[in-house]
Amino acid sequence: MCEISATTEEKKKEFESLALQYMDSLFNTALRMTGNETEAEDLVQDAYLRAFRFFDKFEKGTNFKAWLFKIIKNIYINKYRKASKTPQMMDVLDAEAIGSLSESETPEQQIFDKLLDDDITKALDSLPDDFRITLIMSDLEGFSYKEIADILDCPIGTVMSRLHRGRRLLRKILYDYAKQRGYLKG
């Protein structure tokens, strides 16, 4: 019986040494996928539980980060894709925005930056899931085309196509936004 608990303890330590370094990255990706902090926390927790449960299936020497992201993508597709999203509201006079000003920024600049970031986030969130997830994996998480193809279980050509089409859609959304706001003429 002691040997089993020692093995379990060794497995736990090995898993923690590999997995904990990716927690922030997984959470940020989960937040971009779900658009909701609580759902993102649940998604990451589910991913870590599943990863630990199936840790013996992980092939040592392969990309552990990609393996975790594949798990989180699968859980998202199975549990969260069909869940309805609630729109994100932002209060311009949010105490957090005012309270977190740096000395070099004015309150107006801080609020403008937050609004612009929110608009970019909304534009990214408006993309179809396949494009958004591929863009997140590539442009925000830095995965290679091959790693993304492995995570998403699709050919590299599909990854390249989704990136191209997703970036084109994002560019159009942001272009239309800039025209509506008067940042561009014509």
Side-chain angles (χ1 to χ4, degrees):
M1 196 75 163
C2 289
E3 188 174 321
I4 292 173
S5 64
T7 304
T8 303
E9 190 61 34
E10 289 170 5
K11 175 184 172 184
K12 180 182 169 196
K13 285 182 181 182
E14 182 180 4
F15 178 80
E16 286 175 353
S17 72
L18 289 170
L20 293 181
Q21 61 186 316
Y22 302 116
M23 189 173 288
D24 289 341
S25 185
L26 278 175
F27 176 76
N28 290 333
T29 298
L31 186 57
R32 288 184 195 101
M33 288 174 160
T34 64
N36 179 292
E37 198 168 315
T38 302
E39 287 182 19
E41 289 170 353
D42 290 345
L43 181 56
V44 170
Q45 183 177 6
D46 289 348
Y48 273 105
L49 286 171
R50 187 165 295 166
F52 183 71
R53 194 169 93 205
F54 295 105
F55 187 52
D56 57 324
K57 306 277 189 231
F58 172 70
E59 294 179 35
K60 290 183 178 18
T62 61
N63 188 335
F64 188 78
K65 182 179 179 184
W67 186 69
L68 281 176
F69 274 82
K70 187 171 194 162
I71 291 170
I72 207 166
K73 182 265 312 181
N74 288 338
I75 294 170
Y76 172 74
I77 287 172
N78 292 334
K79 288 187 176 181
Y80 295 96
R81 179 183 250 177
K82 294 176 184 161
S84 62
K85 293 183 178 180
T86 54
Q88 297 294 314
M89 301 295 287
M90 187 188 100
D91 182 357
V92 175
L93 300 175
D94 189 339
E96 180 182 324
I98 303 297
S100 65
L101 295 174
S102 70
E103 292 178 19
S104 64
E105 291 182 310
T106 65
E108 294 82 11
Q109 183 63 43
Q110 184 76 7
I111 290 169
F112 177 77
D113 289 345
K114 187 167 177 59
L115 284 171
L116 189 58
D117 287 346
D118 286 348
D119 288 325
I120 292 169
T121 300
K122 286 177 189 173
L124 185 61
D125 288 346
S126 72
L127 296 176
D129 284 345
D130 289 341
F131 297 141
R132 186 177 74 249
I133 291 170
T134 306
L135 280 169
I136 289 168
M137 298 280 179
S138 174
D139 296 343
L140 300 176
E141 294 302 329
F143 285 110
S144 70
Y145 292 162
K146 180 172 180 0
E147 290 171 327
I148 296 168
D150 290 342
I151 292 168
L152 299 179
D153 290 324
C154 66
I156 289 176
T158 301
V159 169
M160 294 168 66
S161 173
R162 286 179 185 173
L163 282 173
H164 175 74
R165 292 173 61 202
R167 287 174 180 152
R168 191 176 66 217
L169 282 170
L170 190 59
R171 189 171 30 251
K172 181 183 180 340
I173 292 165
L174 292 174
Y175 179 82
D176 291 345
Y177 164 81
K179 277 180 61 176
Q180 290 170 356
R181 301 291 193 283
Y183 300 127
L184 297 174
K185 293 181 182 174

mmCIF file with all atom_site columns, all heavy atoms in Angstrom, residues 121-136:
data_model
loop_
_atom_site.group_PDB
_atom_site.id
_atom_site.type_symbol
_atom_site.label_atom_id
_atom_site.label_alt_id
_atom_site.label_comp_id
_atom_site.label_asym_id
_atom_site.label_entity_id
_atom_site.label_seq_id
_atom_site.pdbx_PDB_ins_code
_atom_site.Cartn_x
_atom_site.Cartn_y
_atom_site.Cartn_z
_atom_site.occupancy
_atom_site.B_iso_or_equiv
_atom_site.pdbx_formal_charge
_atom_site.auth_seq_id
_atom_site.auth_comp_id
_atom_site.auth_asym_id
_atom_site.auth_atom_id
_atom_site.pdbx_PDB_model_num
ATOM 1   N N   . THR A 1 121 ? -11.091 42.992 -28.074 1.00 0.00 ? 121 THR A N   1
ATOM 2   C CA  . THR A 1 121 ? -11.563 41.736 -27.486 1.00 0.00 ? 121 THR A CA  1
ATOM 3   C C   . THR A 1 121 ? -12.932 41.368 -28.045 1.00 0.00 ? 121 THR A C   1
ATOM 4   O O   . THR A 1 121 ? -13.172 40.210 -28.393 1.00 0.00 ? 121 THR A O   1
ATOM 5   C CB  . THR A 1 121 ? -11.623 41.853 -25.948 1.00 0.00 ? 121 THR A CB  1
ATOM 6   O OG1 . THR A 1 121 ? -10.313 42.133 -25.469 1.00 0.00 ? 121 THR A OG1 1
ATOM 7   C CG2 . THR A 1 121 ? -12.134 40.578 -25.306 1.00 0.00 ? 121 THR A CG2 1
ATOM 8   N N   . LYS A 1 122 ? -13.821 42.348 -28.151 1.00 0.00 ? 122 LYS A N   1
ATOM 9   C CA  . LYS A 1 122 ? -15.152 42.076 -28.711 1.00 0.00 ? 122 LYS A CA  1
ATOM 10  C C   . LYS A 1 122 ? -15.037 41.615 -30.157 1.00 0.00 ? 122 LYS A C   1
ATOM 11  O O   . LYS A 1 122 ? -15.762 40.718 -30.585 1.00 0.00 ? 122 LYS A O   1
ATOM 12  C CB  . LYS A 1 122 ? -16.033 43.321 -28.625 1.00 0.00 ? 122 LYS A CB  1
ATOM 13  C CG  . LYS A 1 122 ? -16.532 43.619 -27.230 1.00 0.00 ? 122 LYS A CG  1
ATOM 14  C CD  . LYS A 1 122 ? -17.336 44.910 -27.223 1.00 0.00 ? 122 LYS A CD  1
ATOM 15  C CE  . LYS A 1 122 ? -17.662 45.334 -25.811 1.00 0.00 ? 122 LYS A CE  1
ATOM 16  N NZ  . LYS A 1 122 ? -18.286 46.668 -25.761 1.00 0.00 ? 122 LYS A NZ  1
ATOM 17  N N   . ALA A 1 123 ? -14.149 42.252 -30.920 1.00 0.00 ? 123 ALA A N   1
ATOM 18  C CA  . ALA A 1 123 ? -13.956 41.857 -32.314 1.00 0.00 ? 123 ALA A CA  1
ATOM 19  C C   . ALA A 1 123 ? -13.460 40.418 -32.386 1.00 0.00 ? 123 ALA A C   1
ATOM 20  O O   . ALA A 1 123 ? -13.953 39.620 -33.185 1.00 0.00 ? 123 ALA A O   1
ATOM 21  C CB  . ALA A 1 123 ? -12.965 42.807 -32.998 1.00 0.00 ? 123 ALA A CB  1
ATOM 22  N N   . LEU A 1 124 ? -12.499 40.063 -31.542 1.00 0.00 ? 124 LEU A N   1
ATOM 23  C CA  . LEU A 1 124 ? -11.981 38.698 -31.508 1.00 0.00 ? 124 LEU A CA  1
ATOM 24  C C   . LEU A 1 124 ? -13.078 37.727 -31.090 1.00 0.00 ? 124 LEU A C   1
ATOM 25  O O   . LEU A 1 124 ? -13.243 36.667 -31.690 1.00 0.00 ? 124 LEU A O   1
ATOM 26  C CB  . LEU A 1 124 ? -10.783 38.613 -30.555 1.00 0.00 ? 124 LEU A CB  1
ATOM 27  C CG  . LEU A 1 124 ? -10.039 37.298 -30.482 1.00 0.00 ? 124 LEU A CG  1
ATOM 28  C CD1 . LEU A 1 124 ? -9.453  36.923 -31.834 1.00 0.00 ? 124 LEU A CD1 1
ATOM 29  C CD2 . LEU A 1 124 ? -8.921  37.385 -29.443 1.00 0.00 ? 124 LEU A CD2 1
ATOM 30  N N   . ASP A 1 125 ? -13.862 38.116 -30.087 1.00 0.00 ? 125 ASP A N   1
ATOM 31  C CA  . ASP A 1 125 ? -14.947 37.260 -29.608 1.00 0.00 ? 125 ASP A CA  1
ATOM 32  C C   . ASP A 1 125 ? -16.039 37.058 -30.646 1.00 0.00 ? 125 ASP A C   1
ATOM 33  O O   . ASP A 1 125 ? -16.763 36.067 -30.606 1.00 0.00 ? 125 ASP A O   1
ATOM 34  C CB  . ASP A 1 125 ? -15.569 37.831 -28.330 1.00 0.00 ? 125 ASP A CB  1
ATOM 35  C CG  . ASP A 1 125 ? -14.665 37.701 -27.123 1.00 0.00 ? 125 ASP A CG  1
ATOM 36  O OD1 . ASP A 1 125 ? -13.676 36.939 -27.189 1.00 0.00 ? 125 ASP A OD1 1
ATOM 37  O OD2 . ASP A 1 125 ? -14.940 38.380 -26.109 1.00 0.00 ? 125 ASP A OD2 1
ATOM 38  N N   . SER A 1 126 ? -16.174 38.008 -31.580 1.00 0.00 ? 126 SER A N   1
ATOM 39  C CA  . SER A 1 126 ? -17.227 37.895 -32.585 1.00 0.00 ? 126 SER A CA  1
ATOM 40  C C   . SER A 1 126 ? -16.879 36.907 -33.700 1.00 0.00 ? 126 SER A C   1
ATOM 41  O O   . SER A 1 126 ? -17.748 36.530 -34.484 1.00 0.00 ? 126 SER A O   1
ATOM 42  C CB  . SER A 1 126 ? -17.529 39.269 -33.193 1.00 0.00 ? 126 SER A CB  1
ATOM 43  O OG  . SER A 1 126 ? -16.476 39.681 -34.049 1.00 0.00 ? 126 SER A OG  1
ATOM 44  N N   . LEU A 1 127 ? -15.628 36.488 -33.766 1.00 0.00 ? 127 LEU A N   1
ATOM 45  C CA  . LEU A 1 127 ? -15.216 35.531 -34.795 1.00 0.00 ? 127 LEU A CA  1
ATOM 46  C C   . LEU A 1 127 ? -15.811 34.155 -34.515 1.00 0.00 ? 127 LEU A C   1
ATOM 47  O O   . LEU A 1 127 ? -15.997 33.783 -33.347 1.00 0.00 ? 127 LEU A O   1
ATOM 48  C CB  . LEU A 1 127 ? -13.693 35.410 -34.839 1.00 0.00 ? 127 LEU A CB  1
ATOM 49  C CG  . LEU A 1 127 ? -12.903 36.648 -35.237 1.00 0.00 ? 127 LEU A CG  1
ATOM 50  C CD1 . LEU A 1 127 ? -11.405 36.368 -35.124 1.00 0.00 ? 127 LEU A CD1 1
ATOM 51  C CD2 . LEU A 1 127 ? -13.257 37.089 -36.640 1.00 0.00 ? 127 LEU A CD2 1
ATOM 52  N N   . PRO A 1 128 ? -16.079 33.377 -35.547 1.00 0.00 ? 128 PRO A N   1
ATOM 53  C CA  . PRO A 1 128 ? -16.502 31.987 -35.326 1.00 0.00 ? 128 PRO A CA  1
ATOM 54  C C   . PRO A 1 128 ? -15.434 31.236 -34.505 1.00 0.00 ? 128 PRO A C   1
ATOM 55  O O   . PRO A 1 128 ? -14.240 31.532 -34.605 1.00 0.00 ? 128 PRO A O   1
ATOM 56  C CB  . PRO A 1 128 ? -16.603 31.420 -36.744 1.00 0.00 ? 128 PRO A CB  1
ATOM 57  C CG  . PRO A 1 128 ? -16.823 32.621 -37.616 1.00 0.00 ? 128 PRO A CG  1
ATOM 58  C CD  . PRO A 1 128 ? -16.054 33.739 -36.970 1.00 0.00 ? 128 PRO A CD  1
ATOM 59  N N   . ASP A 1 129 ? -15.878 30.283 -33.703 1.00 0.00 ? 129 ASP A N   1
ATOM 60  C CA  . ASP A 1 129 ? -14.987 29.564 -32.785 1.00 0.00 ? 129 ASP A CA  1
ATOM 61  C C   . ASP A 1 129 ? -13.728 29.027 -33.455 1.00 0.00 ? 129 ASP A C   1
ATOM 62  O O   . ASP A 1 129 ? -12.633 29.175 -32.913 1.00 0.00 ? 129 ASP A O   1
ATOM 63  C CB  . ASP A 1 129 ? -15.722 28.401 -32.104 1.00 0.00 ? 129 ASP A CB  1
ATOM 64  C CG  . ASP A 1 129 ? -16.654 28.863 -31.003 1.00 0.00 ? 129 ASP A CG  1
ATOM 65  O OD1 . ASP A 1 129 ? -16.548 30.023 -30.557 1.00 0.00 ? 129 ASP A OD1 1
ATOM 66  O OD2 . ASP A 1 129 ? -17.494 28.050 -30.575 1.00 0.00 ? 129 ASP A OD2 1
ATOM 67  N N   . ASP A 1 130 ? -13.864 28.390 -34.607 1.00 0.00 ? 130 ASP A N   1
ATOM 68  C CA  . ASP A 1 130 ? -12.700 27.790 -35.257 1.00 0.00 ? 130 ASP A CA  1
ATOM 69  C C   . ASP A 1 130 ? -11.631 28.833 -35.572 1.00 0.00 ? 130 ASP A C   1
ATOM 70  O O   . ASP A 1 130 ? -10.441 28.591 -35.382 1.00 0.00 ? 130 ASP A O   1
ATOM 71  C CB  . ASP A 1 130 ? -13.104 27.060 -36.541 1.00 0.00 ? 130 ASP A CB  1
ATOM 72  C CG  . ASP A 1 130 ? -13.872 25.784 -36.257 1.00 0.00 ? 130 ASP A CG  1
ATOM 73  O OD1 . ASP A 1 130 ? -13.794 25.261 -35.126 1.00 0.00 ? 130 ASP A OD1 1
ATOM 74  O OD2 . ASP A 1 130 ? -14.561 25.295 -37.176 1.00 0.00 ? 130 ASP A OD2 1
ATOM 75  N N   . PHE A 1 131 ? -12.046 29.986 -36.056 1.00 0.00 ? 131 PHE A N   1
ATOM 76  C CA  . PHE A 1 131 ? -11.091 31.048 -36.372 1.00 0.00 ? 131 PHE A CA  1
ATOM 77  C C   . PHE A 1 131 ? -10.505 31.653 -35.095 1.00 0.00 ? 131 PHE A C   1
ATOM 78  O O   . PHE A 1 131 ? -9.309  31.911 -35.005 1.00 0.00 ? 131 PHE A O   1
ATOM 79  C CB  . PHE A 1 131 ? -11.740 32.152 -37.207 1.00 0.00 ? 131 PHE A CB  1
ATOM 80  C CG  . PHE A 1 131 ? -12.234 31.688 -38.550 1.00 0.00 ? 131 PHE A CG  1
ATOM 81  C CD1 . PHE A 1 131 ? -13.419 32.167 -39.064 1.00 0.00 ? 131 PHE A CD1 1
ATOM 82  C CD2 . PHE A 1 131 ? -11.527 30.768 -39.317 1.00 0.00 ? 131 PHE A CD2 1
ATOM 83  C CE1 . PHE A 1 131 ? -13.891 31.763 -40.304 1.00 0.00 ? 131 PHE A CE1 1
ATOM 84  C CE2 . PHE A 1 131 ? -11.979 30.344 -40.557 1.00 0.00 ? 131 PHE A CE2 1
ATOM 85  C CZ  . PHE A 1 131 ? -13.165 30.850 -41.047 1.00 0.00 ? 131 PHE A CZ  1
ATOM 86  N N   . ARG A 1 132 ? -11.379 31.926 -34.113 1.00 0.00 ? 132 ARG A N   1
ATOM 87  C CA  . ARG A 1 132 ? -10.935 32.560 -32.869 1.00 0.00 ? 132 ARG A CA  1
ATOM 88  C C   . ARG A 1 132 ? -9.932  31.683 -32.128 1.00 0.00 ? 132 ARG A C   1
ATOM 89  O O   . ARG A 1 132 ? -8.870  32.149 -31.713 1.00 0.00 ? 132 ARG A O   1
ATOM 90  C CB  . ARG A 1 132 ? -12.145 32.872 -31.974 1.00 0.00 ? 132 ARG A CB  1
ATOM 91  C CG  . ARG A 1 132 ? -11.739 33.676 -30.736 1.00 0.00 ? 132 ARG A CG  1
ATOM 92  C CD  . ARG A 1 132 ? -12.913 34.068 -29.857 1.00 0.00 ? 132 ARG A CD  1
ATOM 93  N NE  . ARG A 1 132 ? -13.412 32.926 -29.130 1.00 0.00 ? 132 ARG A NE  1
ATOM 94  C CZ  . ARG A 1 132 ? -14.581 32.343 -29.337 1.00 0.00 ? 132 ARG A CZ  1
ATOM 95  N NH1 . ARG A 1 132 ? -15.399 32.775 -30.251 1.00 0.00 ? 132 ARG A NH1 1
ATOM 96  N NH2 . ARG A 1 132 ? -14.951 31.311 -28.622 1.00 0.00 ? 132 ARG A NH2 1
ATOM 97  N N   . ILE A 1 133 ? -10.247 30.411 -31.989 1.00 0.00 ? 133 ILE A N   1
ATOM 98  C CA  . ILE A 1 133 ? -9.353  29.503 -31.266 1.00 0.00 ? 133 ILE A CA  1
ATOM 99  C C   . ILE A 1 133 ? -8.014  29.390 -31.986 1.00 0.00 ? 133 ILE A C   1
ATOM 100 O O   . ILE A 1 133 ? -6.953  29.417 -31.358 1.00 0.00 ? 133 ILE A O   1
ATOM 101 C CB  . ILE A 1 133 ? -10.021 28.121 -31.071 1.00 0.00 ? 133 ILE A CB  1
ATOM 102 C CG1 . ILE A 1 133 ? -11.186 28.252 -30.084 1.00 0.00 ? 133 ILE A CG1 1
ATOM 103 C CG2 . ILE A 1 133 ? -9.010  27.089 -30.570 1.00 0.00 ? 133 ILE A CG2 1
ATOM 104 C CD1 . ILE A 1 133 ? -12.073 27.020 -30.001 1.00 0.00 ? 133 ILE A CD1 1
ATOM 105 N N   . THR A 1 134 ? -8.045  29.301 -33.310 1.00 0.00 ? 134 THR A N   1
ATOM 106 C CA  . THR A 1 134 ? -6.807  29.205 -34.085 1.00 0.00 ? 134 THR A CA  1
ATOM 107 C C   . THR A 1 134 ? -5.975  30.477 -33.929 1.00 0.00 ? 134 THR A C   1
ATOM 108 O O   . THR A 1 134 ? -4.759  30.402 -33.727 1.00 0.00 ? 134 THR A O   1
ATOM 109 C CB  . THR A 1 134 ? -7.114  28.927 -35.568 1.00 0.00 ? 134 THR A CB  1
ATOM 110 O OG1 . THR A 1 134 ? -7.943  27.761 -35.662 1.00 0.00 ? 134 THR A OG1 1
ATOM 111 C CG2 . THR A 1 134 ? -5.844  28.697 -36.365 1.00 0.00 ? 134 THR A CG2 1
ATOM 112 N N   . LEU A 1 135 ? -6.621  31.639 -33.995 1.00 0.00 ? 135 LEU A N   1
ATOM 113 C CA  . LEU A 1 135 ? -5.903  32.901 -33.799 1.00 0.00 ? 135 LEU A CA  1
ATOM 114 C C   . LEU A 1 135 ? -5.300  32.997 -32.403 1.00 0.00 ? 135 LEU A C   1
ATOM 115 O O   . LEU A 1 135 ? -4.166  33.440 -32.242 1.00 0.00 ? 135 LEU A O   1
ATOM 116 C CB  . LEU A 1 135 ? -6.834  34.093 -34.036 1.00 0.00 ? 135 LEU A CB  1
ATOM 117 C CG  . LEU A 1 135 ? -7.085  34.476 -35.480 1.00 0.00 ? 135 LEU A CG  1
ATOM 118 C CD1 . LEU A 1 135 ? -8.214  35.493 -35.576 1.00 0.00 ? 135 LEU A CD1 1
ATOM 119 C CD2 . LEU A 1 135 ? -5.826  35.034 -36.100 1.00 0.00 ? 135 LEU A CD2 1
ATOM 120 N N   . ILE A 1 136 ? -6.054  32.596 -31.405 1.00 0.00 ? 136 ILE A N   1
ATOM 121 C CA  . ILE A 1 136 ? -5.552  32.631 -30.027 1.00 0.00 ? 136 ILE A CA  1
ATOM 122 C C   . ILE A 1 136 ? -4.320  31.737 -29.896 1.00 0.00 ? 136 ILE A C   1
ATOM 123 O O   . ILE A 1 136 ? -3.299  32.148 -29.336 1.00 0.00 ? 136 ILE A O   1
ATOM 124 C CB  . ILE A 1 136 ? -6.652  32.200 -29.025 1.00 0.00 ? 136 ILE A CB  1
ATOM 125 C CG1 . ILE A 1 136 ? -7.731  33.274 -28.924 1.00 0.00 ? 136 ILE A CG1 1
ATOM 126 C CG2 . ILE A 1 136 ? -6.053  31.910 -27.642 1.00 0.00 ? 136 ILE A CG2 1
ATOM 127 C CD1 . ILE A 1 136 ? -8.984  32.825 -28.192 1.00 0.00 ? 136 ILE A CD1 1
#
